[in-house]
mmCIF file of all heavy atoms in Angstrom:
data_model
loop_
_atom_site.group_PDB
_atom_site.id
_atom_site.type_symbol
_atom_site.label_atom_id
_atom_site.label_comp_id
_atom_site.label_asym_id
_atom_site.label_seq_id
_atom_site.Cartn_x
_atom_site.Cartn_y
_atom_site.Cartn_z
ATOM 1 N N THR A 1 0.834 -1.185 0.000
ATOM 2 C CA THR A 1 0.000 0.000 0.000
ATOM 3 C C THR A 1 0.875 1.243 0.000
ATOM 4 O O THR A 1 2.090 1.176 0.227
ATOM 5 C CB THR A 1 -0.912 0.018 1.234
ATOM 6 O OG1 THR A 1 -0.092 0.143 2.409
ATOM 7 C CG2 THR A 1 -1.762 -1.245 1.323
ATOM 8 N N ALA A 2 0.242 2.392 -0.230
ATOM 9 C CA ALA A 2 0.998 3.644 -0.234
ATOM 10 C C ALA A 2 1.669 3.898 1.107
ATOM 11 O O ALA A 2 2.854 4.245 1.170
ATOM 12 C CB ALA A 2 0.053 4.795 -0.598
ATOM 13 N N SER A 3 0.932 3.714 2.194
ATOM 14 C CA SER A 3 1.515 3.944 3.520
ATOM 15 C C SER A 3 2.626 2.947 3.823
ATOM 16 O O SER A 3 3.631 3.290 4.470
ATOM 17 C CB SER A 3 0.438 3.861 4.599
ATOM 18 O OG SER A 3 -0.404 5.002 4.540
ATOM 19 N N ALA A 4 2.488 1.695 3.350
ATOM 20 C CA ALA A 4 3.534 0.701 3.572
ATOM 21 C C ALA A 4 4.811 1.076 2.829
ATOM 22 O O ALA A 4 5.924 0.877 3.345
ATOM 23 C CB ALA A 4 3.048 -0.676 3.147
ATOM 24 N N LEU A 5 4.688 1.615 1.633
ATOM 25 C CA LEU A 5 5.869 2.055 0.888
ATOM 26 C C LEU A 5 6.574 3.203 1.618
ATOM 27 O O LEU A 5 7.803 3.233 1.706
ATOM 28 C CB LEU A 5 5.470 2.497 -0.521
ATOM 29 C CG LEU A 5 5.251 1.398 -1.558
ATOM 30 C CD1 LEU A 5 4.757 2.010 -2.860
ATOM 31 C CD2 LEU A 5 6.533 0.617 -1.794
ATOM 32 N N ILE A 6 5.795 4.167 2.119
ATOM 33 C CA ILE A 6 6.381 5.284 2.849
ATOM 34 C C ILE A 6 7.106 4.775 4.093
ATOM 35 O O ILE A 6 8.236 5.188 4.406
ATOM 36 C CB ILE A 6 5.303 6.305 3.241
ATOM 37 C CG1 ILE A 6 4.681 6.952 1.992
ATOM 38 C CG2 ILE A 6 5.866 7.367 4.177
ATOM 39 C CD1 ILE A 6 5.576 7.915 1.265
ATOM 40 N N ALA A 7 6.464 3.856 4.822
ATOM 41 C CA ALA A 7 7.074 3.317 6.039
ATOM 42 C C ALA A 7 8.342 2.549 5.724
ATOM 43 O O ALA A 7 9.351 2.649 6.446
ATOM 44 C CB ALA A 7 6.079 2.424 6.768
ATOM 45 N N ALA A 8 8.355 1.770 4.627
ATOM 46 C CA ALA A 8 9.538 1.004 4.255
ATOM 47 C C ALA A 8 10.697 1.926 3.901
ATOM 48 O O ALA A 8 11.853 1.670 4.253
ATOM 49 C CB ALA A 8 9.215 0.079 3.092
ATOM 50 N N ASP A 9 10.396 3.028 3.211
ATOM 51 C CA ASP A 9 11.466 3.946 2.856
ATOM 52 C C ASP A 9 11.958 4.711 4.077
ATOM 53 O O ASP A 9 13.154 5.003 4.196
ATOM 54 C CB ASP A 9 10.987 4.930 1.779
ATOM 55 C CG ASP A 9 12.143 5.654 1.116
ATOM 56 O OD1 ASP A 9 12.849 5.031 0.289
ATOM 57 O OD2 ASP A 9 12.369 6.831 1.447
ATOM 58 N N ASP A 10 11.052 5.036 4.999
ATOM 59 C CA ASP A 10 11.493 5.679 6.243
ATOM 60 C C ASP A 10 12.446 4.774 7.014
ATOM 61 O O ASP A 10 13.406 5.245 7.632
ATOM 62 C CB ASP A 10 10.279 6.023 7.111
ATOM 63 C CG ASP A 10 9.485 7.195 6.548
ATOM 64 O OD1 ASP A 10 10.020 7.919 5.692
ATOM 65 O OD2 ASP A 10 8.322 7.382 6.971
ATOM 66 N N ALA A 11 12.179 3.465 6.983
ATOM 67 C CA ALA A 11 13.068 2.523 7.667
ATOM 68 C C ALA A 11 14.445 2.508 7.017
ATOM 69 O O ALA A 11 15.465 2.383 7.696
ATOM 70 C CB ALA A 11 12.455 1.126 7.667
ATOM 71 N N LEU A 12 14.495 2.639 5.683
ATOM 72 C CA LEU A 12 15.789 2.694 5.000
ATOM 73 C C LEU A 12 16.590 3.915 5.423
ATOM 74 O O LEU A 12 17.812 3.865 5.546
ATOM 75 C CB LEU A 12 15.572 2.736 3.482
ATOM 76 C CG LEU A 12 15.305 1.414 2.763
ATOM 77 C CD1 LEU A 12 15.088 1.680 1.284
ATOM 78 C CD2 LEU A 12 16.471 0.461 2.958
ATOM 79 N N ASP A 13 15.896 5.024 5.651
ATOM 80 C CA ASP A 13 16.597 6.250 6.037
ATOM 81 C C ASP A 13 17.261 6.131 7.398
ATOM 82 O O ASP A 13 18.167 6.905 7.719
ATOM 83 C CB ASP A 13 15.613 7.429 6.052
ATOM 84 C CG ASP A 13 15.220 7.851 4.646
ATOM 85 O OD1 ASP A 13 15.951 7.492 3.699
ATOM 86 O OD2 ASP A 13 14.199 8.535 4.492
ATOM 87 N N ASP A 14 16.819 5.178 8.200
ATOM 88 C CA ASP A 14 17.432 4.996 9.513
ATOM 89 C C ASP A 14 18.758 4.238 9.443
ATOM 90 O O ASP A 14 19.492 4.172 10.424
ATOM 91 C CB ASP A 14 16.479 4.231 10.440
ATOM 92 C CG ASP A 14 15.238 5.051 10.775
ATOM 93 O OD1 ASP A 14 15.332 6.293 10.707
ATOM 94 O OD2 ASP A 14 14.192 4.457 11.070
ATOM 95 N N VAL A 15 19.040 3.659 8.264
ATOM 96 C CA VAL A 15 20.286 2.918 8.078
ATOM 97 C C VAL A 15 21.341 3.854 7.493
ATOM 98 O O VAL A 15 21.087 4.490 6.468
ATOM 99 C CB VAL A 15 20.074 1.712 7.134
ATOM 100 C CG1 VAL A 15 21.375 0.961 6.925
ATOM 101 C CG2 VAL A 15 18.988 0.808 7.683
ATOM 102 N N PRO A 16 22.520 4.006 8.103
ATOM 103 C CA PRO A 16 23.536 4.933 7.586
ATOM 104 C C PRO A 16 23.904 4.620 6.141
ATOM 105 O O PRO A 16 24.080 3.470 5.750
ATOM 106 C CB PRO A 16 24.740 4.694 8.522
ATOM 107 C CG PRO A 16 24.137 4.149 9.781
ATOM 108 C CD PRO A 16 22.942 3.330 9.351
ATOM 109 N N GLY A 17 23.989 5.694 5.329
ATOM 110 C CA GLY A 17 24.411 5.554 3.941
ATOM 111 C C GLY A 17 23.306 5.205 2.978
ATOM 112 O O GLY A 17 23.550 5.093 1.788
ATOM 113 N N ASN A 18 22.080 5.061 3.429
ATOM 114 C CA ASN A 18 21.009 4.656 2.534
ATOM 115 C C ASN A 18 20.186 5.817 2.010
ATOM 116 O O ASN A 18 19.293 5.607 1.203
ATOM 117 C CB ASN A 18 20.063 3.668 3.233
ATOM 118 C CG ASN A 18 20.554 2.238 3.123
ATOM 119 O OD1 ASN A 18 21.002 1.821 2.072
ATOM 120 N ND2 ASN A 18 20.486 1.520 4.223
ATOM 121 N N ASP A 19 20.424 7.047 2.445
ATOM 122 C CA ASP A 19 19.658 8.182 1.943
ATOM 123 C C ASP A 19 20.371 8.843 0.767
ATOM 124 O O ASP A 19 20.650 10.016 0.743
ATOM 125 C CB ASP A 19 19.428 9.204 3.050
ATOM 126 C CG ASP A 19 18.397 10.246 2.627
ATOM 127 O OD1 ASP A 19 17.563 9.904 1.774
ATOM 128 O OD2 ASP A 19 18.445 11.372 3.143
ATOM 129 N N ARG A 20 20.702 8.026 -0.202
ATOM 130 C CA ARG A 20 21.286 8.531 -1.432
ATOM 131 C C ARG A 20 20.847 7.608 -2.568
ATOM 132 O O ARG A 20 20.500 6.459 -2.336
ATOM 133 C CB ARG A 20 22.821 8.579 -1.333
ATOM 134 C CG ARG A 20 23.480 7.243 -1.056
ATOM 135 C CD ARG A 20 25.005 7.387 -1.045
ATOM 136 N NE ARG A 20 25.669 6.123 -0.786
ATOM 137 C CZ ARG A 20 25.995 5.697 0.420
ATOM 138 N NH1 ARG A 20 25.708 6.443 1.475
ATOM 139 N NH2 ARG A 20 26.592 4.544 0.594
ATOM 140 N N PRO A 21 20.864 8.114 -3.822
ATOM 141 C CA PRO A 21 20.408 7.287 -4.939
ATOM 142 C C PRO A 21 21.196 5.992 -5.042
ATOM 143 O O PRO A 21 22.401 5.962 -4.816
ATOM 144 C CB PRO A 21 20.646 8.183 -6.152
ATOM 145 C CG PRO A 21 20.654 9.576 -5.593
ATOM 146 C CD PRO A 21 21.253 9.461 -4.228
ATOM 147 N N GLY A 22 20.517 4.898 -5.405
ATOM 148 C CA GLY A 22 21.156 3.595 -5.539
ATOM 149 C C GLY A 22 21.481 3.312 -6.989
ATOM 150 O O GLY A 22 22.419 3.864 -7.541
ATOM 151 N N ARG A 23 20.652 2.470 -7.639
ATOM 152 C CA ARG A 23 20.901 2.132 -9.037
ATOM 153 C C ARG A 23 20.706 3.369 -9.909
ATOM 154 O O ARG A 23 19.922 4.253 -9.579
ATOM 155 C CB ARG A 23 19.932 1.029 -9.481
ATOM 156 C CG ARG A 23 20.038 -0.252 -8.670
ATOM 157 C CD ARG A 23 19.244 -1.367 -9.347
ATOM 158 N NE ARG A 23 17.899 -0.937 -9.692
ATOM 159 C CZ ARG A 23 16.864 -1.015 -8.850
ATOM 160 N NH1 ARG A 23 17.033 -1.439 -7.614
ATOM 161 N NH2 ARG A 23 15.654 -0.628 -9.233
ATOM 162 N N PRO A 24 21.411 3.439 -11.049
ATOM 163 C CA PRO A 24 21.286 4.629 -11.899
ATOM 164 C C PRO A 24 19.853 4.895 -12.332
ATOM 165 O O PRO A 24 19.444 6.042 -12.441
ATOM 166 C CB PRO A 24 22.183 4.296 -13.094
ATOM 167 C CG PRO A 24 23.175 3.326 -12.556
ATOM 168 C CD PRO A 24 22.442 2.515 -11.523
ATOM 169 N N ASP A 25 19.065 3.819 -12.593
ATOM 170 C CA ASP A 25 17.710 4.055 -13.074
ATOM 171 C C ASP A 25 16.771 4.487 -11.970
ATOM 172 O O ASP A 25 15.628 4.838 -12.216
ATOM 173 C CB ASP A 25 17.150 2.794 -13.740
ATOM 174 C CG ASP A 25 17.123 1.605 -12.798
ATOM 175 O OD1 ASP A 25 18.138 1.362 -12.120
ATOM 176 O OD2 ASP A 25 16.086 0.926 -12.749
ATOM 177 N N ASP A 26 17.228 4.498 -10.722
ATOM 178 C CA ASP A 26 16.412 5.002 -9.623
ATOM 179 C C ASP A 26 16.770 6.441 -9.251
ATOM 180 O O ASP A 26 16.161 7.023 -8.368
ATOM 181 C CB ASP A 26 16.601 4.130 -8.367
ATOM 182 C CG ASP A 26 15.939 2.785 -8.519
ATOM 183 O OD1 ASP A 26 15.087 2.663 -9.415
ATOM 184 O OD2 ASP A 26 16.280 1.859 -7.764
ATOM 185 N N MET A 27 17.783 7.001 -9.923
ATOM 186 C CA MET A 27 18.268 8.323 -9.521
ATOM 187 C C MET A 27 17.316 9.428 -9.992
ATOM 188 O O MET A 27 16.768 9.364 -11.071
ATOM 189 C CB MET A 27 19.653 8.582 -10.110
ATOM 190 C CG MET A 27 20.223 9.951 -9.705
ATOM 191 S SD MET A 27 21.684 10.370 -10.631
ATOM 192 C CE MET A 27 22.895 9.514 -9.725
ATOM 193 N N TRP A 28 17.153 10.415 -9.169
ATOM 194 C CA TRP A 28 16.409 11.624 -9.531
ATOM 195 C C TRP A 28 17.363 12.795 -9.366
ATOM 196 O O TRP A 28 17.918 13.011 -8.310
ATOM 197 C CB TRP A 28 15.205 11.798 -8.615
ATOM 198 C CG TRP A 28 14.275 12.859 -9.100
ATOM 199 C CD1 TRP A 28 14.386 14.205 -8.934
ATOM 200 C CD2 TRP A 28 13.091 12.666 -9.860
ATOM 201 N NE1 TRP A 28 13.345 14.855 -9.533
ATOM 202 C CE2 TRP A 28 12.540 13.940 -10.109
ATOM 203 C CE3 TRP A 28 12.438 11.536 -10.354
ATOM 204 C CZ2 TRP A 28 11.352 14.110 -10.826
ATOM 205 C CZ3 TRP A 28 11.276 11.708 -11.058
ATOM 206 C CH2 TRP A 28 10.742 12.977 -11.299
ATOM 207 N N GLU A 29 17.582 13.549 -10.420
ATOM 208 C CA GLU A 29 18.570 14.625 -10.356
ATOM 209 C C GLU A 29 18.182 15.655 -9.305
ATOM 210 O O GLU A 29 17.037 16.051 -9.195
ATOM 211 C CB GLU A 29 18.685 15.310 -11.718
ATOM 212 C CG GLU A 29 19.388 14.445 -12.756
ATOM 213 C CD GLU A 29 19.617 15.218 -14.037
ATOM 214 O OE1 GLU A 29 19.309 16.409 -14.057
ATOM 215 O OE2 GLU A 29 20.093 14.621 -14.986
ATOM 216 N N TYR A 30 19.160 16.104 -8.551
ATOM 217 C CA TYR A 30 18.920 17.132 -7.548
ATOM 218 C C TYR A 30 18.716 18.489 -8.199
ATOM 219 O O TYR A 30 18.017 19.339 -7.674
ATOM 220 C CB TYR A 30 20.108 17.193 -6.574
ATOM 221 C CG TYR A 30 20.147 16.032 -5.630
ATOM 222 C CD1 TYR A 30 20.637 14.801 -6.062
ATOM 223 C CD2 TYR A 30 19.691 16.139 -4.333
ATOM 224 C CE1 TYR A 30 20.666 13.714 -5.206
ATOM 225 C CE2 TYR A 30 19.731 15.064 -3.462
ATOM 226 C CZ TYR A 30 20.217 13.851 -3.899
ATOM 227 O OH TYR A 30 20.244 12.783 -3.045
ATOM 228 N N GLU A 31 19.358 18.738 -9.318
ATOM 229 C CA GLU A 31 19.183 19.990 -10.029
ATOM 230 C C GLU A 31 18.837 19.668 -11.475
ATOM 231 O O GLU A 31 19.193 18.647 -12.014
ATOM 232 C CB GLU A 31 20.481 20.829 -9.987
ATOM 233 C CG GLU A 31 20.952 21.172 -8.593
ATOM 234 C CD GLU A 31 20.016 22.129 -7.877
ATOM 235 O OE1 GLU A 31 19.252 22.824 -8.567
ATOM 236 O OE2 GLU A 31 20.052 22.177 -6.640
ATOM 237 N N GLY A 32 18.130 20.598 -12.124
ATOM 238 C CA GLY A 32 17.832 20.425 -13.548
ATOM 239 C C GLY A 32 16.449 19.915 -13.820
ATOM 240 O O GLY A 32 15.920 20.101 -14.906
ATOM 241 N N GLY A 33 15.819 19.232 -12.884
ATOM 242 C CA GLY A 33 14.418 18.919 -13.005
ATOM 243 C C GLY A 33 14.057 17.764 -13.898
ATOM 244 O O GLY A 33 13.024 17.772 -14.540
ATOM 245 N N ALA A 34 14.852 16.729 -13.997
ATOM 246 C CA ALA A 34 14.477 15.582 -14.811
ATOM 247 C C ALA A 34 15.133 14.339 -14.258
ATOM 248 O O ALA A 34 16.141 14.400 -13.578
ATOM 249 C CB ALA A 34 14.912 15.788 -16.265
ATOM 250 N N SER A 35 14.542 13.210 -14.582
ATOM 251 C CA SER A 35 15.131 11.954 -14.165
ATOM 252 C C SER A 35 16.431 11.721 -14.922
ATOM 253 O O SER A 35 16.593 12.139 -16.060
ATOM 254 C CB SER A 35 14.165 10.806 -14.453
ATOM 255 O OG SER A 35 14.812 9.576 -14.295
ATOM 256 N N ALA A 36 17.365 11.024 -14.278
ATOM 257 C CA ALA A 36 18.626 10.698 -14.948
ATOM 258 C C ALA A 36 18.410 9.661 -16.034
ATOM 259 O O ALA A 36 19.254 9.471 -16.886
ATOM 260 C CB ALA A 36 19.634 10.178 -13.930
ATOM 261 N N VAL A 37 17.261 8.970 -16.013
ATOM 262 C CA VAL A 37 16.936 7.972 -17.030
ATOM 263 C C VAL A 37 15.852 8.535 -17.918
ATOM 264 O O VAL A 37 14.878 9.097 -17.434
ATOM 265 C CB VAL A 37 16.436 6.672 -16.355
ATOM 266 C CG1 VAL A 37 16.031 5.651 -17.398
ATOM 267 C CG2 VAL A 37 17.528 6.108 -15.476
ATOM 268 N N PRO A 38 15.974 8.420 -19.261
ATOM 269 C CA PRO A 38 14.921 8.939 -20.127
ATOM 270 C C PRO A 38 13.587 8.282 -19.815
ATOM 271 O O PRO A 38 13.524 7.122 -19.437
ATOM 272 C CB PRO A 38 15.412 8.573 -21.540
ATOM 273 C CG PRO A 38 16.882 8.365 -21.402
ATOM 274 C CD PRO A 38 17.087 7.835 -20.009
ATOM 275 N N ALA A 39 12.517 9.036 -20.006
ATOM 276 C CA ALA A 39 11.183 8.505 -19.760
ATOM 277 C C ALA A 39 10.892 7.364 -20.720
ATOM 278 O O ALA A 39 11.138 7.451 -21.921
ATOM 279 C CB ALA A 39 10.145 9.617 -19.933
#
C-alpha cells in the first residue's frame, strides 16, 4: 500500500548511507528537473 511504501522507505533512512540514490535508473537529479533515465 501507499503507507507501507512510505514506512519502508522511512526505515531505509534509519540505516547509515542509505539516503542517497542507488541504481542509476532510480536516480532523480537534484538539479535540472528531470530523471537521470529517459522517460
Side-chain angles (χ1 to χ4, degrees):
T1 65
S3 288
L5 280 176
I6 295 288
D9 195 75
D10 287 344
L12 279 179
D13 287 341
D14 293 335
V15 179
N18 274 317
D19 192 26
R20 59 177 180 269
R23 301 191 311 273
D25 59 313
D26 288 343
M27 181 191 277
W28 191 279
E29 288 186 5
Y30 287 79
E31 301 292 339
S35 169
V37 177

